[in-house]
């Protein structure tokens, strides 16, 4: 895998079946790319780190693998996940169902270990992370590079990684080989893939297309950056449209996650009755929690299951989604219908 080839713009969801697993396997993990996957020649590849005085330090892939490695289990969700639940889908935005989410064990070097502690960086408040990929964006004459600015207080959180591995394997090409950022707790856009450079900066001057034009909640003239993943849940069993038998025990299962804290409650409404599910967040603060509830269907016909999760900061899934120009951050309760047979 030392030389990888370009792949034209892959975008796909994690399947309903794969969403049922605790960890999402690499081949099943959803892919979101704005441009073609860049070709990488690992022999020539290096990561550039720049301080505020524009002094550069270069790391080869080998150098990075020899540094202290850390593993974080984190759920990654695209800010557009569930967009089909909004009233309308804006043109040019991906019509994601519920599968633009997955959970993996990410291993690599902490970003904090890579940021040089030089005098020139003392008052720096932000980090610019640039990817290898670029492509056409309407309104721009030149190709636009995928890049993001991250506030320094986020960049130095001990869970923020420049990941080299995904579930113990080298990153697959479409997930950012050889190195990608992982910002646990934030929507996926912050986790820049195919990282080529990291620059320490300060002041409000430098912004990127993907910080100010996209990945902002635009509503009623106001603009707010998309950041932490909103509290949300998913039913993985029974499946949407699935069949169950009246009077026979069914294990209703799913996931719940939030970038703002642990999951403290999952309320499940089924056949009109509300019950708290049993919740286990075994994989840590940044990974989805798994919940389960026993249900004995009482009535033949169609039954509705709806789930409402609460996080430790007191955020609760809303009944109605917060509509915004690009329709990011869908986290409203979305009932799942199943058939109850005799
Ligand atoms: N370089 C680069 N990084 C990127 C993107 C991209 O298009 N280019 N897409 C972002 C978005 S919007 C998401 S949701 C995640 C998706 O990560 P995955 O494809 O590994 O699931 O990558 C982020 N990092
Ligand atoms: Mo995304």
């Amino acid at each position: 895998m030392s030389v990888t080839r370009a792949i034209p713009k892959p975008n796909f969801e994690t399947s309903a079946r794969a969403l049922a697993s605790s960890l999402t396997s690499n081949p099943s993990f959803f892919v979101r790319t704005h441009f073609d996957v860049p070709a990488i020649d690992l022999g020539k590849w290096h990561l550039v780190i720049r301080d505020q005085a524009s002094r550069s330090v270069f790391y080869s892939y080998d150098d990075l693998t020899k540094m202290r490695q850390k593993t974080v289990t984190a759920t990654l969700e695209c800010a557009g996940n569930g967009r089909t639940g909004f009233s309308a889908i804006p043109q040019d935005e991906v019509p994601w169902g519920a599968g633009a989410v997955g959970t993996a064990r990410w291993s690599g070097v902490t970003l904090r270990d890579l940021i040089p502690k030089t005098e020139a960086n003392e008052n720096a408040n932000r980090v610019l992370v640039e990817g290898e990929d670029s492509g056409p964006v309407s309104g721009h004459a030149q190709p636009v590079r995928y890049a993001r600015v991250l506030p320094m207080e986020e960049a130095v959180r001990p869970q923020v990684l420049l990941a080299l591995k995904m579930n113990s394997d080298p990153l697959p090409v479409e997930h950012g080989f050889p190195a990608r950022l992982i910002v646990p707790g934030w929507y996926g856009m912050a986790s820049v893939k195919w990282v080529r450079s990291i620059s320490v900066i300060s002041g409000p001057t430098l912004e990127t297309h993907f910080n100010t034009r996209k990945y902002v909640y635009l509503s009623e003239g106001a603009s707010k950056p998309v950041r932490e993943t909103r509290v949300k849940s998913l039913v993985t069993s029974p499946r949407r449209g699935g069949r169950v038998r009246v009077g026979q025990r069914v294990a209703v299962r799913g996931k719940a996650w939030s970038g703002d804290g642990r999951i403290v409650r999952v309320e499940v409404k089924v056949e009109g009755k509300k019950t708290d599910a049993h919740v286990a967040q075994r994989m840590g603060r940044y990974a989805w929690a798994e919940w389960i509830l026993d249900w004995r269907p009482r009535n033949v016909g169609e039954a509705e299951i709806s789930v409402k999760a609460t996080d430790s900061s007191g955020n609760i899934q809303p009944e109605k989604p917060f509509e915004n120009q690009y329709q990011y951050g869908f986290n409203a309760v979305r009932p799942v219908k199943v058939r109850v047979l005799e």
Side-chain angles (χ1 to χ4, degrees):
M1 189 140 86
S2 66
V3 182
T4 65
R5 274 191 288 152
I7 310 171
K9 241 181 134 162
N11 278 295
F12 62 82
E13 297 191 20
T14 307
S15 67
R17 182 201 189 101
L19 285 171
S21 305
S22 302
L23 289 174
T24 315
S25 73
N26 294 358
S28 309
F29 204 100
F30 85 96
V31 172
R32 170 63 172 123
T33 52
H34 293 75
F35 309 121
D36 295 351
V37 170
I40 307 274
D41 179 346
L42 201 56
K44 296 186 184 136
W45 182 87
H46 53 245
L47 170 72
V48 187
I49 311 268
R50 286 186 211 94
D51 75 1
Q52 286 212 98
S54 288
R55 269 183 304 248
S56 304
V57 185
F58 297 85
Y59 291 88
S60 69
Y61 185 66
D62 240 31
D63 295 336
L64 293 171
T65 60
K66 286 179 187 138
M67 292 176 70
R68 185 172 67 103
Q69 308 287 305
K70 175 167 179 160
T71 299
V72 176
T73 306
T75 295
L76 198 66
E77 181 186 20
C78 182
N81 190 33
R83 184 175 276 133
T84 50
F86 282 111
S87 62
I89 299 167
Q91 233 190 354
D92 301 331
E93 297 300 330
V94 184
W96 295 114
V101 61
T103 298
R105 298 181 75 236
W106 309 94
S107 317
V109 182
T110 64
L111 184 54
R112 158 193 212 159
D113 280 352
L114 286 165
I115 296 173
K117 284 143 204 85
T118 59
E119 223 172 275
N121 283 347
E122 263 171 21
N123 59 357
N125 59 6
R126 299 185 305 157
V127 174
L128 168 68
V129 182
E130 293 177 291
E132 296 276 357
D133 52 330
S134 60
V137 169
S138 69
H140 291 257
Q142 300 298 320
V144 173
R145 177 175 302 285
Y146 195 88
R148 287 272 307 181
V149 167
L150 190 65
M152 187 59 86
E153 68 269 20
E154 296 294 327
V156 298
R157 273 200 287 139
Q159 307 83 14
V160 175
L161 299 182
L162 183 73
L164 308 174
K165 288 190 164 178
M166 179 176 182
N167 295 322
S168 309
D169 284 329
L171 283 172
V173 275
E174 60 278 27
H175 293 292
F177 179 81
R180 79 172 300 170
L181 208 63
I182 287 292
V183 182
W186 281 41
Y187 279 115
M189 75 281 141
S191 295
V192 180
K193 302 193 275 189
W194 312 292
V195 172
R196 49 138 61 174
S197 71
I198 297 171
S199 309
V200 175
I201 58 176
S202 60
T205 45
L206 210 151
E207 277 299 353
T208 76
H209 176 81
F210 295 99
N211 278 97
T212 55
R213 294 272 149 214
K214 287 300 176 92
Y215 302 107
V216 284
Y217 295 113
L218 284 178
S219 161
E220 294 169 359
S223 170
K224 269 181 62 187
V226 174
R227 297 179 33 131
E228 286 85 0
T229 310
R230 290 182 163 163
V231 64
K232 192 168 181 177
S233 60
L234 190 65
V235 179
T236 56
S237 174
R239 301 253 189 92
R240 198 173 286 275
R243 285 136 198 262
V244 295
R245 294 219 164 259
V246 75
Q248 286 188 13
R249 183 190 158 266
V250 181
V252 183
R253 293 173 192 274
K255 314 279 201 252
W257 62 95
S258 166
D260 280 319
R262 294 188 151 266
I263 296 300
V264 295
R265 183 177 182 205
V266 173
E267 186 190 67
V268 181
K269 188 167 113 190
V270 55
E271 291 188 301
K273 186 175 167 231
K274 290 180 183 170
T275 316
D276 281 358
H278 172 75
V279 184
Q281 193 152 19
R282 276 187 232 97
M283 296 184 293
R285 151 81 177 81
Y286 294 100
W288 54 29
E290 299 185 283
W291 55 264
I292 183 164
L293 178 79
D294 275 351
W295 169 42
R296 228 175 255 282
R298 280 169 305 173
N299 305 303
V300 173
E302 195 177 67
E304 229 178 55
I305 307 170
S306 29
V307 183
K308 194 185 267 191
T310 304
D311 70 20
S312 54
S313 300
N315 300 296
I316 307 177
Q317 285 187 259
E319 292 293 335
K320 286 220 163 62
F322 158 66
E323 307 266 343
N324 56 98
Q325 184 167 329
Y326 296 120
Q327 305 289 41
Y328 295 124
F330 182 94
N331 73 332
V333 174
R334 219 177 171 182
V336 169
K337 289 189 174 127
V338 297
R339 292 216 64 79
V340 181
L341 307 177
E342 277 212 3

